[in-house]
Amino acid sequence: MTSYLYSAVRTPFGRFNGALSGVRPDDLAAGVITGLLGRAPRLDPAAVGEVVWGNANGAGEDNRNVGRMAALLAGLPTSVPGSTVNRLCGSSLDAAMIGSRTIETGDADIVLAGGVESMTRAPWVLPKPAKGFPAGNVTAVSTTLGWRLVNPRMPREWTVSLGEANEILQERYGIGRERQDAFALRSHRLAAAAWDDGFYDDLVVPAGDLKRDEGVRADTSLEKLSALKPSFRPDGTITAGNASPLSDGASALLLGSEGAADRIGLDPVARIAGRGAFALDPQDFGYAPVEAANRALARAGIGWDRVGAVELNEAFAVQSLVCVDAWGIDPEIVNTRGGAIAIGHPLGASGARVLGTVAKVLRERRERWGVAAICIGVGQGLAVVLENTEAGA
């Protein structure tokens, strides 16, 4: 059996402590599920066989299994099961991969997949003491991003910050500050143009009072970007301007078999043609999408020469550039409607965003094959190949 993408929707992505800071992650997720179901009014929610949801935190209002919580809050019947996947930045792309496999094995005919993250509302956590009533102070640890409560058995080189890991990457591959800043500027300009052109109008549902991605800066320039100080090394190349920001948001995908079209009331927009996962040393996570995408293409039975659109999550400009260079592809087919540096990167939601976006870009550009890829902290990468189902592609 074959699995298809029928519809994709997301919230606008909000800036850290910004417009979505007052919205709980389970409410963000419920809202985007409601928005997705609203695109398929003929679909009986009871026909959904599974909800598979991505989330990188889970420590606070995400409430461990935010996929199930969001489905209930969205009004799905209690008979619809739900699970939550945590593969950090790749969580919602992983959810889509799991959902597609669920359909292909015949375990479900229709699956809701997606993800959510409120990095603003991620809580502080306290480790439990070894003994009751300790006399000393205890330090609260932020769960917003990166390592926390690190096991001392982990090698030190594995647990460097995400930024330091990418400074190591830029040294290895010679990706200088100017090239990173130019890539970041392109991300903002393309995202702003996409919004102005109406590209995102049918991909985004409002959340709270936010109707447009909050982090896009149409007025930025190379001069402004080059004036920013390095964030991780005094003489480093990575700044707040050429890395993705902390963000809040949710994304959702409607997946189904070919035979589910009548019940869904929509035609499929893309076929899930190949999936790939790869892992390497934790500090090299930014390079992991390279082989993940190569494996996904091999499973789809095609090569890079046939790919017309790529959505690569821009965790950092440097890791994005390293991946594009390694693939040997035309950079102009990558993130043609802006990327995470401008749009934002709410960890658990980004994978579904890039998958939904590349499906629409394939139709817009009348291309047949597309790739959605994402790097993942602790040394992993994921990728999915889509085939455009539109006639004449």
Side-chain angles (χ1 to χ4, degrees):
M1 192 178 294
T2 305
S3 57
Y4 293 86
L5 172 64
Y6 279 84
S7 186
V9 71
R10 66 175 177 89
T11 68
F13 285 177
R15 295 167 64 179
F16 185 81
N17 207 27
L20 297 181
S21 62
V23 185
R24 290 172 55 113
D26 49 0
D27 285 329
L28 279 174
V32 82
I33 289 174
T34 300
L36 184 69
L37 292 175
R39 307 294 174 92
R42 279 175 46 187
L43 175 62
D44 179 359
V48 175
E50 187 78 61
V51 174
V52 188
W53 212 251
N55 181 240
N57 196 322
E61 295 164 336
D62 321 79
N63 213 349
R64 294 193 177 95
N65 187 1
V66 69
R68 172 64 170 170
M69 307 305 175
L72 294 174
L73 289 168
L76 269 69
T78 57
S79 59
V80 177
S83 65
T84 299
V85 179
N86 186 349
R87 205 192 289 239
L88 303 181
C89 306
S91 295
S92 57
L93 193 59
D94 206 7
M97 294 165 74
I98 292 168
S100 65
R101 292 188 196 102
T102 301
I103 291 163
E104 290 166 18
T105 60
D107 288 344
D109 208 34
I110 299 169
V111 173
L112 295 184
V116 66
E117 209 73 51
S118 175
M119 299 179 81
T120 299
R121 299 176 72 89
W124 293 284
V125 297
L126 293 172
K128 286 186 176 180
K131 297 180 180 179
F133 309 111
N137 297 325
V138 179
T139 300
V141 179
S142 174
T143 64
T144 297
L145 179 70
W147 294 87
R148 78 284 307 249
L149 304 177
V150 179
N151 191 314
R153 294 174 53 235
M154 283 280 189
R156 182 177 297 179
E157 64 270 22
W158 286 2
T159 62
V160 297
S161 72
L162 302 178
E164 174 59 21
N166 276 270
E167 288 286 11
I168 295 170
L169 201 65
Q170 69 84 15
E171 284 183 329
R172 184 181 304 159
Y173 292 99
I175 308 293
R177 170 74 182 269
E178 290 184 4
R179 192 176 174 203
Q180 293 178 51
D181 286 348
F183 185 85
L185 178 62
R186 175 182 183 268
S187 183
H188 283 282
R189 287 181 173 173
L190 291 177
W195 275 106
D196 291 344
D197 294 346
F199 175 84
Y200 287 116
D201 289 353
D202 63 352
L203 278 179
V204 175
V205 291
D209 296 326
L210 189 62
K211 298 180 179 179
R212 185 165 173 157
D213 296 316
E214 195 174 11
V216 180
R217 297 179 179 177
D219 61 347
T220 195
S221 66
L222 281 178
E223 291 74 22
K224 291 178 180 178
L225 290 167
S226 64
L228 296 173
K229 294 181 179 179
S231 299
F232 303 99
R233 294 180 180 179
D235 60 346
T237 64
I238 297 172
T239 71
N242 59 37
S244 61
L246 303 177
S247 310
D248 308 327
S251 302
L253 307 165
L254 180 57
L255 306 175
S257 67
E258 187 173 14
D262 288 341
R263 282 192 289 167
I264 292 173
L266 300 171
D267 292 325
V269 298
R271 178 176 71 91
I272 310 295
R275 297 173 290 256
F278 187 67
L280 32 62
D281 288 351
Q283 70 272 25
D284 296 332
F285 73 94
Y287 195 77
V290 172
E291 183 58 25
N294 290 341
R295 291 184 179 192
L297 286 166
R299 287 164 184 158
I302 64 168
W304 279 109
D305 59 319
R306 299 185 66 188
V307 174
V310 176
E311 285 292 321
L312 171 63
N313 191 60
E314 299 168 354
F316 295 84
V318 60
Q319 66 81 209
S320 299
L321 289 164
V322 165
C323 290
V324 172
D325 289 353
W327 289 326
I329 58 175
D330 181 357
E332 293 306 310
I333 70 169
V334 180
N335 299 352
T336 58
R337 290 307 199 165
I341 289 173
I343 292 167
H345 179 21
L347 306 181
S350 291
R353 179 192 73 80
V354 296
L355 193 66
T357 302
V358 77
K360 182 165 184 183
V361 169
L362 286 175
R363 296 212 151 196
E364 176 188 59
R365 296 166 64 93
R366 300 191 66 78
E367 296 284 354
R368 181 176 178 183
W369 299 100
V371 174
I374 194 164
C375 69
I376 301 165
V378 200
Q380 297 191 85
L382 292 177
V384 171
V385 175
L386 291 183
E387 182 183 18
N388 185 1
T389 58
E390 189 172 60

